Amino acid sequence: ALSSAASDVYKRQVIKDGKASIKSASCPDQICVRQKSISKVGETITCLPNKTVIKIVGDNSEVDVVS
């Protein structure tokens, strides 16, 4: 779990079982906390009030379409 704190601003980010999520945050709307966990390349979780973006990057080894 990763945490950051500056006065009354906080967020708790968790990476577990290959998935990332925000479990708690000081932002008023809690949109980032209610978002589902992310695990696929290109997925993001954004918390604008806390100026945080979590993005999955890497090689996309999955096959999306076969023709």
Side-chain angles (χ1 to χ4, degrees), residues 33-61:
V33 176
R34 291 192 310 263
Q35 251 185 294
K36 67 176 186 78
S37 297
I38 59 173
S39 62
K40 296 180 181 172
V41 172
E43 290 184 316
T44 60
I45 297 174
T46 304
C47 181
L48 293 178
N50 286 329
K51 300 176 184 173
T52 302
V53 176
I54 300 172
K55 181 177 182 179
I56 306 295
V57 296
D59 295 330
N60 192 356
S61 59

Side-chain angles (χ1 to χ4, degrees), residues 14-29:
V14 175
I15 300 172
K16 182 178 178 183
D17 298 328
K19 297 180 180 184
S21 63
I22 297 180
K23 293 298 178 189
S24 61
S26 60
C27 56
D29 56 19

